[in-house]
Amino acid sequence: MGEDSDDVLIGNTAALSGPMSSYGPYIRDGLEYAAQQINDDGGVLGRDLRIATEDNESDPETAATTALRQMDEGAVAVTGPVLSDVSIRVRHETEAQQVPFLPIQGASPRLLDKETRYTFRVGALPAPYYARATGEFVEHIGADNYAAIVADYSYGHSYQEGIEEFVKSIDGLNTQVELAPAGADDFSSQLRALPDDIEYMDLGGHPVGIFTIIPQMWEVGLDPDATSGPGDPLPIFYDALGDDIDRGITQIHMVDPTTDEYVDVAQQYFEETGEFFDPFTTFGYVTAQLVAEAIEDAGEADPQAVRDAISDIRFDSLLAYPLEYNEWGELTESKLQVLEFNLDSPPYYPDGDFYVESLFETDTFEPLDPDEWE
């Protein structure tokens, strides 16, 4: 598809380099695949939907610059960032320009405040809710001994607040939380401080260190029944851990890849591209669908009209929750899945070495009040 001036433009300020570069291609590919399907079906209001992707280098200022350029070129919405600080920096620009912003990730409770009107969560819930999901799952499996390693920066602190609220309040649960630097590469002191009989290891509060912590955990003799981590692209987990991925490794995620709807789309994606349809591909795919639906509802491809339509929408998608928003862009209802890895290929990707299945679905969460969290 050429860059026709009549195209409807979605700006994608993407993490294609820097520390989050493994995420950006999945998101970009999901956006482009959805746009292709939409255009094959007649486009939006008879116009082609085009995804304009630029590398934000996983850097807040670079992301802000690319977002401003995309808005200057007429983007009706902006998406793409992964890191919370990148999303927050882009939010300042899109709110000022009054252009809808749909960050793919950004789990900091500070991503939104009660004054935001053009920013809408899509693929990451606020950090405390991941701790809440962990607490619900710990109760579900009946674990008695819980441990966590939490990173010493804003996201980790928010996650630790969630542990205080949703995990330590569980009757009869023994808990121990160790703090570690965000950039640490040796966690042996934190791991040796933990009791030998932990049944559940929670690494959702240290997403950067997870693939270092897990092997070191096994090396020091800790072998919990379940170890949970953030919802990273699934192949990253397998590339890092290999066949050890079935040693109780779980993810807390917004997507259940075993639903019929997901399998159908993932199968079609493989047949057309030969590629794996990862949950992060889903986030891009759903975001493009949401913007297209909002444009159709609005009857025009104008940022203000699109923003108003998103504010009023209830959009069912491949995510575990409908996309419906309160006045400051928080999801009115959401839930999370606990996914477990297994060593076999999924039905929609015969070349795969692993698949995931949902072990547990949380209760529905109400919108987080940003004034109550760091």
Side-chain angles (χ1 to χ4, degrees):
M1 177 174 61
E3 295 187 6
D4 193 311
S5 61
D6 192 47
D7 291 347
V8 176
L9 177 66
I10 296 176
N12 176 30
T13 171
L16 300 178
S17 62
M20 309 307 289
S21 61
S22 56
Y23 296 71
Y26 289 105
I27 297 164
R28 176 201 61 205
D29 293 349
L31 286 161
E32 293 181 350
Y33 185 62
Q36 173 194 318
Q37 289 189 325
I38 290 163
N39 293 338
D40 288 346
D41 197 36
V44 287
L45 305 178
R47 299 162 61 186
D48 275 348
L49 185 65
R50 177 163 61 90
I51 310 301
T53 296
E54 292 187 70
D55 184 10
N56 66 29
E57 302 173 2
S58 305
D59 175 72
E61 293 306 316
T62 303
T65 299
T66 59
L68 283 167
R69 182 161 48 246
Q70 291 165 347
M71 289 187 287
D72 286 344
E73 292 172 355
V76 299
V78 174
T79 187
V82 176
L83 286 170
S84 289
D85 60 344
V86 176
S87 294
I88 290 169
R89 181 66 184 87
V90 172
R91 182 204 70 190
H92 290 310
E93 303 299 344
T94 53
E95 289 283 328
Q97 297 290 326
Q98 298 185 339
V99 172
F101 175 44
L102 300 100
I104 296 296
Q105 294 282 274
S108 170
R110 296 186 297 108
L111 175 61
L112 301 170
D113 59 44
K114 291 183 178 178
E115 304 304 315
T116 56
R117 292 296 181 269
Y118 291 83
T119 306
F120 304 91
R121 286 194 192 272
V122 177
L125 302 189
Y129 282 172
Y130 292 89
R132 177 175 169 178
T134 297
E136 289 188 19
F137 185 58
V138 165
E139 286 191 288
H140 174 73
I141 64 175
D144 295 318
N145 301 304
Y146 162 99
I149 295 179
V150 174
D152 189 9
Y153 73 113
S154 60
Y155 169 81
H157 298 162
S158 297
Y159 194 92
Q160 188 167 10
E161 288 186 48
I163 292 173
E164 296 289 336
E165 178 78 14
F166 301 117
V167 180
K168 288 192 173 183
S169 60
I170 298 172
D171 289 341
L173 181 66
N174 301 311
T175 65
Q176 184 167 334
V177 179
E178 295 292 323
L179 196 66
D185 57 12
D186 183 358
F187 298 88
S188 57
S189 62
Q190 288 86 4
L191 290 164
R192 289 195 174 96
L194 300 175
D196 293 337
D197 60 350
I198 60 170
E199 298 163 273
Y200 195 101
M201 172 66 86
D202 182 3
L203 302 179
H206 207 308
V208 177
I210 183 170
F211 301 121
T212 304
I213 297 171
I214 291 175
Q216 291 182 4
M217 174 183 76
W218 291 328
E219 287 172 8
V220 302
L222 298 177
D223 195 13
D225 296 332
T227 299
S228 65
D232 291 335
L234 301 179
I236 294 177
F237 271 72
Y238 186 77
D239 289 346
L241 301 175
D243 287 353
D244 282 334
I245 206 167
D246 71 343
R247 290 177 63 176
I249 304 300
T250 65
Q251 275 195 357
I252 310 292
H253 222 301
M254 292 68 66
V255 180
D256 179 358
T258 62
T259 65
D260 291 341
E261 295 82 2
Y262 188 97
V263 170
D264 287 346
V265 174
Q267 178 69 45
Q268 184 177 3
Y269 185 75
F270 171 73
E271 291 171 356
E272 294 184 13
T273 70
E275 300 295 331
F276 175 66
F277 193 78
D278 186 82
F280 271 79
T281 317
T282 306
F283 296 146
Y285 182 80
V286 166
T287 299
Q289 288 184 317
L290 173 64
V291 174
E293 182 79 7
I295 293 169
E296 293 287 351
D297 289 349
E300 57 180 317
D302 170 78
Q304 182 64 53
V306 172
R307 178 264 169 208
D308 293 344
I310 293 174
S311 295
D312 291 336
I313 209 164
R314 182 180 176 87
F315 185 68
D316 291 319
S317 70
L318 296 181
L319 303 183
Y321 43 80
L323 294 170
E324 182 176 51
Y325 298 99
N326 69 6
E327 61 180 316
W328 63 84
E330 191 61 85
L331 291 156
T332 59
E333 55 184 270
S334 58
K335 58 180 65 175
L336 289 165
Q337 306 282 328
V338 178
L339 306 180
E340 181 182 51
F341 287 88
N342 295 276
L343 296 177
D344 202 351
S345 59
Y348 52 85
Y349 189 64
D351 296 337
D353 296 305
F354 65 87
Y355 73 96
V356 290
E357 60 182 341
S358 180
L359 295 179
F360 179 75
E361 181 176 86
T362 67
D363 294 335
T364 299
F365 302 153
E366 298 295 321
L368 176 137
D369 184 340
D371 293 342
E372 296 180 1
W373 300 90
E374 178 184 329

